[in-house]
Amino acid sequence: MGFTKLVSLLILFQVLTISSTQAAPNSKLFREYIGANFKNVRFSDVPINPGVEFHFILAFAIDYTSLTSPSPTNGIFNIFWDDNNLSPSQVHSIKRNHGNVKVALSLGGDSVGSTYAYFNPSSIDSWVENAVTSLTKIIKQYDLDGIDIDYEHFKTDPYTFTECMGRLVTTLKGNGVISFASIAPYDYAPVQRQYLTLWKKYGHIIDYVNFQFYAYDKGTSISQFLSYFETQISNYGEGKVLVSFISDGSGGLSPDRGFFTACSSLKSQGKLNGIFVWCADNSKRDGFRYERQSQALLACSR
């Protein structure tokens, strides 16, 4: 074996050794839902750490008529967030003042008025056509960057949901209307069936998985949380599942009971893909203390 070849092999061995022992890079992505509860919260109320990538997610745009007399509209989306406080001019302002901020809208959610917000298309083609048209109008009006898919109730099969959402994201990205898309499943079999079918076919165009870890029981332990995380990255891939908490502490692993300890554990393994919070409306009363802590953890290089 020649000297040059021997040196090359030694260098290759060192690179492989380093690669196998170093943790994968962590993400600095922080995301927060805002506007669903109409508590007069504004983008400017929320602390923004310049060391993170910050996504506000407007909740919600829903293909229903109105809060007072809700009925499905087959992909014709209307605004159901607090647009008096979260208007197009306020989107422009927060993005102009903070170069690390992007703003998305979320589709669906749990309810509209007093009824569940069902995904209930008349047909795949008609729903996609209506959704592309109505969402493009809203996204351009508000200068938004992406969408989040958060349907939680279904009157259709997983194939129809998959094709509607997959074709929607494909078209909006292809038209240059959005630059990213996320989904927001949680661990309930009828919901997981829909989202895992979508993920299997269209996971390559989905950028983030806002997994609702706060949908697990209140009082979840750190070890349980980490076990749940491992289960979901086996479902949705290691690099895309974000961890989460709910501001009012009503479910999952809460910040005051070990959430940040669990995050630090994931970070030490190179598995902290980002943090998201439900929601700014409820965090306002506590001065966004846990939003500050979340972003500080993400921004820290250690």
Side-chain angles (χ1 to χ4, degrees):
M1 181 183 294
F3 178 78
T4 302
K5 189 174 182 180
L6 177 61
V7 170
S8 298
L9 287 173
L10 287 172
I11 292 172
L12 178 61
F13 175 77
Q14 288 178 325
V15 169
L16 291 174
T17 302
I18 292 169
S19 298
S20 66
T21 57
Q22 283 184 337
N26 294 292
S27 169
K28 295 182 183 294
L29 178 61
F30 178 80
R31 317 186 88 202
E32 180 141 37
Y33 291 86
I34 188 169
N37 296 337
F38 289 81
K39 293 188 177 180
N40 298 315
V41 65
R42 298 190 174 198
F43 299 120
S44 55
D45 294 330
V46 183
I48 298 170
N49 187 317
V52 304
E53 180 183 357
F54 195 115
H55 291 182
F56 283 108
I57 304 175
L58 293 162
F60 291 97
I62 314 174
D63 53 334
Y64 269 70
T65 50
S66 66
L67 286 171
T68 53
S69 183
S71 59
T73 57
N74 189 41
I76 300 174
F77 281 86
N78 292 300
I79 292 168
F80 286 87
W81 65 76
D82 183 3
D83 60 337
N84 287 329
N85 289 292
L86 303 166
S87 65
S89 64
Q90 287 155 336
V91 172
H92 295 321
S93 177
I94 199 68
K95 290 174 69 173
R96 183 176 62 249
N97 293 333
H98 298 274
N100 60 325
V101 167
K102 295 180 180 179
V103 184
L105 60 75
S106 186
L107 309 181
D110 176 62
S111 61
V112 52
S114 59
T115 187
Y116 286 140
Y118 284 100
F119 179 66
N120 188 25
S122 299
S123 69
I124 294 172
D125 289 344
S126 64
W127 189 93
V128 172
E129 181 179 358
N130 289 339
V132 168
T133 300
S134 60
L135 287 172
T136 297
K137 181 179 179 181
I138 295 171
I139 290 165
K140 289 186 174 180
Q141 178 188 1
Y142 278 78
D143 188 25
L144 304 179
D145 303 286
I147 64 169
D148 173 66
I149 298 167
D150 188 21
Y151 282 99
E152 301 182 4
H153 307 282
F154 304 88
K155 288 189 175 180
T156 189
D157 58 279
Y159 172 79
T160 300
F161 178 69
T162 291
E163 290 306 312
C164 285
M165 297 304 149
R167 294 182 196 181
L168 172 64
V169 173
T170 299
T171 304
L172 292 178
K173 282 191 169 185
N175 292 345
V177 177
I178 61 171
S179 59
F180 60 81
S182 59
I183 57 174
Y186 60 98
D187 198 2
Y188 176 55
V191 172
Q192 288 278 62
R193 275 197 297 271
Q194 303 280 344
Y195 283 96
L196 286 171
T197 305
L198 171 61
W199 180 261
K200 183 176 181 179
K201 183 168 183 180
Y202 288 103
H204 62 285
I205 61 168
I206 296 168
D207 301 280
Y208 315 110
V209 179
N210 284 7
F211 199 85
Q212 298 182 44
F213 287 98
Y214 46 81
Y216 289 107
D217 290 342
K218 181 179 181 179
T220 294
S221 68
I222 294 171
S223 61
Q224 286 174 322
F225 182 92
L226 293 173
S227 175
Y228 296 150
F229 179 82
E230 292 297 326
T231 299
Q232 299 313 324
I233 64 172
S234 71
N235 285 331
Y236 294 101
E238 287 198 4
K240 295 189 177 183
V241 178
L242 280 69
V243 295
S244 58
F245 66 86
I246 189 168
S247 299
D248 64 9
S250 60
L253 178 60
S254 62
D256 61 350
R257 295 182 65 88
F259 175 80
F260 293 111
T261 300
C263 288
S264 295
S265 175
L266 293 175
K267 189 172 185 179
S268 70
Q269 302 172 61
K271 293 182 177 180
L272 187 58
N273 305 315
I275 297 171
F276 80 90
V277 181
W278 178 273
C279 60
D281 305 53
N282 293 335
S283 294
K284 184 178 180 180
R285 67 185 178 189
D286 293 325
F288 303 100
R289 58 181 294 201
Y290 294 128
E291 280 79 355
R292 296 178 196 275
Q293 192 170 347
S294 297
Q295 293 176 71
L297 175 64
L298 292 168
C300 180
S301 59
R302 290 180 294 142

